[in-house]
Amino acid sequence: MTSVFQQALGAEFGRLHPRLQRRFGVDGDRDQGCVGTGVMERVWRGGAFTVPFLRLGTLRHILFPETGTGIPFTIENYAYPDTFGRPTLTFVRTFQVRPHRRRRFDATMVYDGARHTVIDYLGTTQHLAVDLDVSVDAGGLRIRSGPQTFRGGLRCPAALTGEAEVHEWWDDRAERFRIRVTVTNRRFGPLFGYHGSFTAAYVPAGAPIPAAVRPLRENPHAGRTRRPAYSFGDTPGV
């Protein structure tokens, strides 16, 4: 099984730093997974108006309202074909925001061969699908979010969405991966973000996929949209 990002980037995949080629080349054949461990130098959020939105995200492991510096962090990437046969890579990020409180940010990335794009399914039930634009930037990987759809194909209004940009690269001097994530809204500005660094250990091919990183329910719609016959407030499956 070719990795999600190798399929999406094609020949451009070879322009990634070799360390990122291995990390984002996890496909279940050479490596079953990649587990990163490090520290987020800063986790931040926008103004007070963002708190209810971020608290709502904690219900399905998407966003959270806590902020701070020096926050321990792990990211678990495991490759497997989902129940629809699509190459899938987990992105389960855990933040130790308080001594006795952890927050998770769950996602699974799927390569949709029919549309030649990566779809980021957010949350534990994949109720929100986000098209991703992936590119190579000076040896690093840059990911920008695009249209978002609820489970069932209803397009999420742009005014209610956060546009995410992720930049991950290898720091040769520090011998660590570095990451910067920013989520903004076109109208309200910055909503949430973090930046920091981590090291990675690889899980050998054939190792079992931890049940905790798999979604509770998978979304078969692959980001396709349809025009709803019901009001926004009555959206089923959200």
Side-chain angles (χ1 to χ4, degrees):
M1 184 176 71
T2 305
S3 76
V4 169
F5 287 94
Q6 192 167 359
Q7 291 188 73
L9 289 169
E12 287 291 288
F13 189 82
R15 294 181 53 229
L16 287 172
H17 188 285
R19 296 293 187 118
L20 271 80
Q21 287 188 41
R22 183 173 184 187
R23 173 160 158 65
F24 290 104
V26 168
D27 59 7
D29 291 332
R30 176 183 179 182
D31 299 305
Q32 192 70 56
C34 174
V35 179
T37 305
V39 174
M40 290 298 106
E41 296 172 18
R42 183 184 175 217
V43 177
W44 57 269
R45 61 169 169 80
F49 72 91
T50 67
V51 173
F53 170 73
L54 297 174
R55 287 192 184 281
L56 182 63
T58 65
L59 299 178
R60 293 189 177 177
H61 292 177
I62 296 179
L63 295 168
F64 54 87
E66 289 86 358
T67 62
T69 58
I71 294 178
F73 165 87
T74 61
I75 181 167
E76 298 173 86
N77 302 111
Y78 285 88
Y80 62 93
D82 70 4
T83 55
F84 304 102
R86 300 172 299 186
T88 302
L89 188 65
T90 68
F91 273 76
V92 175
R93 289 146 284 195
T94 303
F95 301 77
Q96 190 75 46
V97 295
R98 299 287 184 271
H100 303 290
R101 174 174 290 178
R102 294 181 178 179
R103 293 296 195 189
R104 280 179 48 152
F105 191 164
D106 287 23
T108 44
M109 295 192 183
V110 170
Y111 180 70
D112 179 12
R115 297 197 298 128
H116 306 291
T117 192
V118 175
I119 303 168
D120 189 6
Y121 287 113
L122 302 180
T124 53
T125 58
Q126 295 191 345
H127 69 287
L128 187 63
V130 184
D131 285 2
L132 300 180
D133 175 66
V134 297
S135 60
V136 179
D137 181 4
L141 182 70
R142 190 174 295 276
I143 303 172
R144 294 183 175 90
S145 66
Q148 303 180 19
T149 57
F150 291 119
R151 189 180 186 92
L154 176 64
R155 178 68 61 87
C156 183
L160 301 179
T161 65
E163 298 177 352
E165 180 165 345
V166 180
H167 187 204
E168 187 172 319
W169 69 99
W170 175 257
D171 184 334
D172 283 303
R173 179 174 297 181
E175 295 190 338
R176 299 174 67 85
F177 293 98
R178 295 198 179 276
I179 185 169
R180 181 177 298 273
V181 175
T182 304
V183 182
T184 60
N185 177 273
R186 294 181 185 179
R187 179 177 179 181
F188 298 108
L191 301 177
F192 176 82
Y194 55 87
H195 66 270
S197 66
F198 60 94
T199 58
Y202 292 89
V203 180
I209 310 297
V213 304
R214 288 179 177 266
L216 300 177
R217 184 174 59 180
E218 293 179 343
N219 186 340
H221 293 287
R224 291 185 292 271
T225 61
R226 62 181 175 83
R227 187 177 299 276
Y230 40 78
S231 69
F232 180 78
D234 297 329
T235 304
V238 176

